[in-house]
Amino acid sequence: MKEREEENFVTPGDILGKALELKPGYGAYFSSHDKTIYASLTGFRSITPAPIDSDDQRATVEVKGHKSHGPVPEPGVVVTARVTKVMAKMASADIVCVGPKSVKEKFTGIIRQQDVRATEIDKVEMHSSFRPGDIVKALVLSLGDARAYYLSTAKNELGVVSAESATGATMVPISWTEMQCPLTGQTEQRKVAKIDAVKKKLQHLFSFGNQKMATTSLSALNLLPPSKFSSSRSHSFPQTPLHIPSSPNQRPLKSKSLRTISFALAESSDSSKSIERLQELADCFVLPADYFKQLPNDLRLDLNDAAFDLSNGTVKDECGEEAGETLLNISRAWENAETSVSAALVSKLPQLVGSLTSNNKSALGKRLVSASRRFQAMGQYGQDELQMIAKVMNRAGKALSQIPVSKVADEEPKQETRVLKFGELQVELTPEKAYTGAVIAFFFGILTWQVGQGIQRIPESSLEYANDNALLLAKSLRLTLLSIFYSSTFLSAFASVGLVLLAGQLNCSAADLLPLLGGSAANATAAAAFLCTRFNEVSTRLDGAKFAIDNTYLLFSAYLVFAMQLGFAMLCAGSVRAKNTMNIMLTNVLDAAAGGLSYYLFGYAFAFGGPSNGFIGKHFFGLRDFPSPAGDYSFFLYQWAFAIAAAGITSGSIAERTQFVAYLIYSSFLTGFVYPVVSHWVWSGDGWAGAAKADGNFLFGSGAIDFAGSGVVHMVGGIAGLWGALIEGPRIGRFDHSGRSVALRGHSASLVVLGTFLLWFGWYGFNPGSFLAIAKSYDTRGAYYGQWSAVGRTAVTTTLAGSTAALTTLFGKRLLVGHWNVIDVCNGLLGGFAAITSGCSVVEPWAAIICGFVASWVLIGFNKLAEKVKYDDPLEAAQLHGGCGAWGLLFTGLFAKKAFVNEVYPGKPDRPHGLLMGGGGRLLGAQIVQILVIIGWVTVTMAPLFWVLHKLRLLRISSDDEMAGMDVTRHGGLAYIYHDQEDENTLPHFKMTRIEPGETPIGERRQQGV
């Protein structure tokens, strides 16, 4: 019998059997995850058969012989625990109470990262949620390993209920994410349990008149009973921590003398009133499921205006992260006329109020009042539901607006200044100036170091002079320059560090100074107060520095992308004949100028004017209400540079035969409407096809990954150019009478090569710059690895794809035509760049080589096809950007790596990745859909535009003008001067005349021999 008992002896977490055969009894519980029954106590496994007349004939398994005399944690029970260790992904704690009863044994709890909060799980940082020594209330989820229970604090009433600061004082909760030390004023981040939940439980006790029981419960928490509270809105809580019984081997928590501090309870009378009003508002939104969809169009517009008033501007900053996100979702529901979704979201507002600061509540109230005016303007409709919503929303907004605003949150910290004197010169040094000086010193140090390195690399053997004195002088000069530049580097580094330390205002506490001041708390507090006035809020300053770094990076990338316009201009000029050089250069200038105005007025709003629908944006026309949390001016400039790049691609396809007015029309239309709509689909947070969609409802579960625009930019420009060239027809002489291809070579291979290198240089802003920020850590491999590493990887993949495509084109064309052609190599290089642009951030470098290799053959194949169908594209723009861009989208769907996809597009760990990388075919399907919709969209917009221009005789120039060259007939002279302009004998034998649209400037007479 003894052997049998030892075999049946179980401990918590041991498997007792499967739920198909057994049902849990005492000391056992059922896990729905694996349909298994586990032990929750220590004892002996016992099985009791089911009664004969029972409907459930499964035997009951129990754990008997448990000798514990105290409570035991069980799934579904709320426990109190003391945090002992905090790690990156979890925190461990000793469970000291199960409900109101203390435990007699040692039980360990584990709080995992995914169980800390119910929302934004991927953003949870354990060290910002808990600290060793914190007392937390948590819900038992299940048994883990080695008698450890999985705990959760994902509900509002769960989390940290008591914590000590560095000075030993009990921290005071000031929001659901922060606690404050009453001695130093220093704030620390925590996952704080809602205060109002505790008070509701106390009020529930008093509602039954059980004064004795309630007073006992309060005394266990070291709180004063409600009868001792003042009648004012500001109540006093003792500074001592919760008194939690602990096991003998645990270190008791410190007990301090009672000191009271004043803070506003979440359940003040004003807050209770506002919660009631919000609950009334939630009841008003309980409407028929299709109520909003049945509204007339004018009322739908008013509803959209209400959505805008509710969520415009910095809503998350003003109302808090969670409440702001809820308001944004409510706005989207109103815009999409989703009545049931709207009701569900509005019902969350009363629950969120308790976690808001007074400033958040006031901002929320003002937004509700503003939105209520829109509902009031809708007038009488139906059974006056809209008017009822307006009245209740207005009352709720006013109740929230009347809550006193915390002065502590509004007070701006005094900014320390220093006055530096240099003789008569006096300079007032502020933290901003100091940080600016530190950045300048840092870059100057890098510059002087590089110059010094360059001088040092000059070998002395290369210094050859006529005599020894000159040689000695040269060596002395070299040594002097090295000393100057290396000294400048050292001084720059010293100045940079010194300015950062001077500008930074570091947080400190009195406890840090106690060992230095002989243990006198008074002296330490005074010294800390003196120092903290000069060293505080460094985190805020660092956040500002991060924004400055990211915006500087984005602006520099925008400048690089804009420099590609110069590359386009040189490439186009070298690829056309000399007689059309001025014309093609002017069109490149106009692409930027006309595109700048159209993108400012309409394009940016259509692309990124959120909140909006999945098809097109509808805010920020003319940059109204800009900047906003959605974007700054640097972001607009960067996106404008992308837009004009698409227009520049199209201009190359229709070069040497297009009227000037047609350039103005199509360029404005392309950058102001066609391109922005596509970029909204893929890059906006509201776009239907994007991989970074805000609501997480991705196309095929992944969204289309087009990181820098193989489809959005290159395919749009290439397909637009395809239709323009098809409708215009080939240039005169491009194909002979028998239909054979005749090469009309550009006049300058030098300009083509120059333009290619400029485009190559600009591509490092085009692809790596599409991260939009660089100062971001991934926390996956260590402090050395972050978004800066991904930026570098993107530059590497870009380089490898272009280089491989160039070499493949070089040898491929050598095999096909028998000679080495620099023009073909340049086009192959650009084809590789256009292809890798989609997946440059999510593929391995070795995969980029495959991308470039295939891209070169795609370009060669499309060029052969163009000759077969007699399609004329002077710059091969449609084949290069359209064809290689489409291949780039397919390539991403095949080779995207899971780890890189999760880094670049976080928030969805199970997002599909490349088909050949084991990620299934959903991403590839999304890429194919993007290719098809881009071809369709550009076709239905640009093809009709070119056709109308052709019918109005505004598209193609006359044959005489084309033969003579547009530089002379349209732009007043040749681009190159090969003669003395005063020698009339060398001037062309024709005369400039005024021409009107549709007229023939030279007449019907053709030149002889043509």
Side-chain angles (χ1 to χ4, degrees):
M1 182 67 181
K2 185 176 181 180
E3 291 181 0
R4 181 183 177 187
E5 288 181 352
E6 288 179 354
E7 289 178 2
N8 293 334
F9 184 79
V10 294
T11 59
D14 287 348
I15 297 176
L16 300 180
K18 289 295 183 179
L20 293 175
E21 304 170 354
L22 303 171
K23 58 184 178 180
Y26 178 77
Y29 74 96
F30 167 68
S31 174
S32 60
H33 174 67
D34 53 2
K35 309 298 183 184
T36 303
I37 299 175
Y38 294 89
S40 61
L41 299 176
T42 300
F44 298 95
R45 179 173 177 262
S46 174
I47 298 178
T48 304
I52 299 176
D53 57 347
S54 174
D55 294 335
D56 189 351
Q57 286 298 308
R58 292 180 299 168
T60 301
V61 60
E62 297 178 314
V63 178
K64 294 183 177 181
H66 181 64
K67 300 182 183 298
S68 173
H69 300 288
V72 176
E74 293 184 0
V77 176
V78 175
V79 299
T80 306
R82 180 178 182 271
V83 178
T84 57
K85 187 176 181 180
V86 180
M87 293 161 281
K89 300 294 184 181
M90 65 177 66
S92 60
D94 290 338
I95 299 175
V96 294
C97 285
V98 177
K101 299 180 181 180
S102 61
V103 298
K104 299 294 181 66
E105 302 178 54
K106 183 177 180 180
F107 296 99
T108 302
I110 301 294
I111 307 175
R112 298 170 294 185
Q113 186 180 29
Q114 63 265 32
D115 298 327
V116 175
R117 292 205 307 255
T119 59
E120 298 181 330
I121 297 174
D122 58 312
K123 297 182 181 179
V124 171
E125 294 185 5
M126 298 302 295
H127 291 282
S128 298
S129 302
F130 308 103
R131 303 280 177 88
D134 289 353
I135 305 299
V136 300
K137 279 193 174 295
L139 179 70
V140 179
L141 296 178
S142 64
L143 274 170
D145 299 326
R147 293 192 63 159
Y149 292 81
Y150 286 137
L151 307 180
S152 170
T153 60
K155 294 184 179 180
N156 288 340
E157 63 270 17
L158 302 178
V160 178
V161 295
S162 178
E164 286 191 2
S165 67
T167 62
T170 300
M171 305 281 282
V172 178
I174 57 176
S175 73
W176 66 284
T177 58
E178 289 183 323
M179 303 182 82
Q180 187 176 40
C181 175
L183 293 181
T184 63
Q186 179 181 359
T187 60
E188 296 181 9
Q189 291 187 330
R190 294 288 199 282
K191 198 291 179 185
V192 184
K194 281 179 61 176
I195 302 172
D196 57 334
V198 177
K199 188 185 174 192
K200 283 181 179 179
K201 292 181 179 180
L202 300 180
Q203 290 177 342
H204 176 71
L205 293 173
F206 280 99
S207 64
F208 292 96
N210 196 343
Q211 180 75 24
K212 182 178 179 180
M213 181 177 67
T215 305
T216 303
S217 300
L218 286 170
S219 64
L221 295 173
N222 281 338
L223 300 178
L224 297 175
S227 60
K228 303 295 183 183
F229 285 150
S230 169
S231 59
S232 63
R233 295 176 184 172
S234 179
H235 301 285
S236 299
F237 271 62
Q239 191 178 303
T240 54
L242 294 174
H243 177 68
I244 305 296
S246 58
S247 57
N249 60 346
Q250 289 180 337
R251 183 181 176 184
L253 297 175
K254 296 180 181 179
S255 177
K256 300 199 173 286
S257 59
L258 289 177
R259 296 187 205 169
T260 58
I261 55 172
S262 179
F263 64 96
L265 283 174
E267 288 290 335
S268 63
S269 59
D270 286 339
S271 182
S272 300
K273 182 180 178 180
S274 61
I275 291 176
E276 293 175 2
R277 293 286 185 264
L278 288 174
Q279 189 59 55
E280 293 177 10
L281 180 62
D283 296 338
C284 291
F285 274 93
V286 179
L287 301 168
D290 57 348
Y291 184 84
F292 285 157
K293 290 185 178 180
Q294 292 182 353
L295 291 176
N297 290 336
D298 56 338
L299 298 188
R300 286 286 297 275
L301 292 175
D302 289 333
L303 185 63
N304 290 345
D305 292 337
F308 180 77
D309 290 344
L310 188 68
S311 62
N312 71 322
T314 56
V315 61
K316 291 186 179 181
D317 294 338
E318 295 176 7
C319 302
E321 186 74 21
E322 191 172 359
E325 184 66 28
T326 302
L327 294 182
L328 288 172
N329 291 333
I330 292 173
S331 299
R332 294 190 184 100
W334 290 354
E335 291 173 348
N336 297 328
E338 297 172 343
T339 310
S340 57
V341 175
S342 170
L345 292 170
V346 174
S347 65
K348 293 182 179 180
L349 292 179
Q351 305 170 15
L352 297 176
V353 170
S355 63
L356 300 182
T357 65
S358 55
N359 294 344
N360 297 149
K361 295 175 183 177
S362 179
L364 174 60
K366 292 176 181 178
R367 290 178 179 273
L368 289 175
V369 171
S370 179
S372 69
R373 298 192 184 103
R374 301 290 187 180
F375 279 94
Q376 188 176 7
M378 295 183 187
Q380 303 294 326
Y381 178 79
Q383 302 296 322
D384 288 342
E385 296 90 350
L386 298 177
Q387 291 304 305
M388 179 60 67
I389 290 175
K391 293 177 182 179
V392 177
M393 187 181 293
N394 185 269
R395 287 200 299 265
K398 289 182 177 179
L400 288 168
S401 302
Q402 291 171 359
I403 295 177
V405 177
S406 173
K407 294 182 179 179
V408 176
D410 293 338
E411 287 181 355
E412 291 292 335
K414 288 187 177 180
Q415 193 173 77
E416 292 295 316
T417 60
R418 294 286 188 275
V419 177
L420 301 182
K421 297 182 179 180
F422 302 91
E424 297 296 326
L425 178 63
Q426 294 186 2
V427 178
E428 184 182 23
L429 184 63
T430 63
E432 288 78 12
K433 293 180 181 178
Y435 281 125
T436 303
V439 172
I440 294 174
F442 176 77
F443 284 107
F444 184 77
I446 294 177
L447 177 62
T448 54
W449 173 263
Q450 293 295 332
V451 174
Q453 288 285 294
I455 295 174
Q456 189 174 2
R457 283 193 288 266
I458 300 175
E460 292 188 0
S461 58
S462 64
L463 303 176
E464 298 180 2
Y465 290 88
N467 53 59
D468 293 338
N469 291 333
L471 179 61
L472 180 62
L473 180 62
K475 290 183 177 180
S476 301
L477 178 60
R478 178 176 180 271
L479 181 60
T480 302
L481 290 175
L482 285 174
S483 301
I484 291 173
F485 284 109
Y486 282 140
S487 298
S488 299
T489 302
F490 174 79
L491 292 175
S492 298
F494 182 82
S496 180
V497 174
L499 287 170
V500 169
L501 293 177
L502 179 63
Q505 299 175 338
L506 305 175
N507 284 322
C508 61
S509 66
D512 299 328
L513 300 174
L514 277 172
L516 303 177
L517 299 174
S520 173
N523 292 340
T525 303
F530 174 76
L531 292 178
C532 286
T533 56
R534 291 156 179 81
F535 301 98
N536 58 11
E537 294 197 359
V538 67
S539 59
T540 304
R541 299 294 182 187
L542 289 178
D543 285 341
K546 178 183 180 299
F547 286 125
I549 292 171
D550 288 340
N551 271 279
T552 301
Y553 173 73
L554 186 58
L555 280 173
F556 182 72
S557 299
Y559 302 152
L560 287 177
V561 177
F562 180 70
M564 295 177 75
Q565 289 299 118
L566 178 57
F568 278 127
M570 295 298 101
L571 182 70
C572 292
S575 299
V576 301
R577 290 165 290 182
K579 62 184 179 180
N580 295 310
T581 305
M582 287 182 63
N583 174 262
I584 197 67
M585 296 286 278
L586 181 59
T587 59
N588 276 273
V589 174
L590 286 175
D591 285 337
L597 286 177
S598 60
Y599 199 72
Y600 163 76
L601 293 174
F602 311 106
Y604 185 84
F606 290 149
F608 299 100
S612 61
N613 53 54
F615 179 76
I616 193 170
K618 53 185 179 180
H619 298 295
F620 307 131
F621 289 96
L623 296 188
R624 184 182 177 184
D625 299 325
F626 204 77
S628 72
D632 203 344
Y633 291 109
S634 54
F635 181 70
F636 164 80
L637 191 72
Y638 187 70
Q639 296 300 333
W640 161 74
F642 270 63
I644 60 176
I649 293 170
T650 306
S651 66
S653 296
I654 57 178
E656 294 199 290
R657 58 199 189 275
T658 307
Q659 291 192 44
F660 183 66
V661 66
Y663 279 113
L664 288 174
I665 295 173
Y666 95 78
S667 180
S668 299
F669 184 64
L670 183 65
T671 57
F673 180 67
V674 178
Y675 164 81
V677 171
V678 179
S679 61
H680 178 82
W681 295 346
V682 181
W683 290 340
S684 170
D686 300 317
W688 64 269
K693 197 174 180 184
D695 60 5
N697 185 20
F698 302 109
L699 178 65
F700 297 151
S702 68
I705 295 180
D706 190 3
F707 182 71
S710 288
V712 176
V713 179
H714 295 282
M715 277 194 67
V716 168
I719 301 301
L722 171 69
W723 282 109
L726 283 175
I727 293 174
E728 275 192 317
R731 292 168 291 172
I732 296 175
R734 178 66 178 85
F735 299 97
D736 60 17
H737 296 293
S738 61
R740 291 177 300 179
S741 174
V742 177
L744 299 180
R745 297 190 179 278
H747 77 283
S748 176
S750 300
L751 289 178
V752 171
V753 173
L754 174 61
T756 301
F757 274 111
L758 287 172
L759 289 171
W760 190 342
F761 179 65
W763 233 291
Y764 291 125
F766 204 92
N767 286 3
S770 292
F771 279 97
L772 308 180
I774 193 171
K776 178 182 177 182
S777 177
Y778 287 151
D779 296 330
T780 55
R781 304 186 188 179
Y784 70 93
Y785 186 76
Q787 193 141 292
W788 50 88
S789 304
V791 168
R793 181 181 68 242
T794 301
V796 170
T797 56
T798 302
T799 303
L800 292 177
S803 302
T804 304
L807 292 175
T808 305
T809 306
L810 174 68
F811 290 103
K813 295 292 286 187
R814 176 70 173 81
L815 292 174
L816 294 174
V817 299
H819 61 268
W820 315 97
N821 192 323
V822 67
I823 305 297
D824 292 334
V825 171
C826 289
N827 284 337
L829 177 80
L830 298 179
F833 287 152
I836 195 62
T837 296
S838 171
C840 54
S841 63
V842 295
V843 299
E844 292 274 15
W846 60 264
I849 296 176
I850 299 175
C851 177
F853 177 81
V854 176
S856 66
W857 290 108
V858 169
L859 178 60
I860 293 172
F862 274 115
N863 283 335
K864 289 294 183 182
L865 178 63
E867 291 182 1
K868 294 291 184 182
V869 299
K870 297 182 177 57
Y871 170 78
D872 181 23
D873 189 331
L875 275 84
E876 303 176 5
Q879 303 94 296
L880 191 157
H881 298 277
C884 294
W887 155 242
L889 290 174
L890 296 175
F891 162 78
T892 305
L894 295 172
F895 290 94
K897 184 178 179 180
K898 181 178 181 180
F900 296 160
V901 171
N902 289 332
E903 289 173 359
V904 179
Y905 301 99
K908 194 176 187 298
D910 59 341
R911 185 191 296 270
H913 50 286
L915 175 64
L916 300 182
M917 306 298 287
R922 288 186 291 172
L923 175 58
L924 180 61
Q927 303 296 95
I928 294 174
V929 169
Q930 182 186 353
I931 294 173
L932 296 177
V933 296
I934 288 177
I935 294 174
W937 170 251
V938 178
T939 298
V940 300
T941 52
M942 294 302 296
L945 175 66
F946 284 121
W947 184 81
V948 170
L949 291 175
H950 175 68
K951 290 299 181 181
L952 296 177
R953 297 185 179 181
L954 297 175
L955 184 59
R956 181 158 184 163
I957 60 175
S958 66
S959 58
D960 291 325
D961 285 358
E962 186 175 346
M963 294 299 298
M966 283 187 285
D967 286 1
V968 172
T969 61
R970 300 275 172 151
H971 302 294
L974 298 171
Y976 303 100
I977 305 299
Y978 300 106
H979 54 77
D980 187 356
Q981 290 191 357
E982 295 181 358
D983 185 1
E984 296 183 357
N985 293 328
T986 61
L987 293 177
H989 296 286
F990 50 80
K991 181 180 179 181
M992 290 288 296
T993 59
R994 178 181 177 85
I995 59 174
E996 300 295 338
E999 294 183 1
T1000 302
I1002 298 182
E1004 299 297 333
R1005 180 178 55 84
R1006 297 278 186 103
Q1007 293 184 5
Q1008 294 182 359
V1010 178

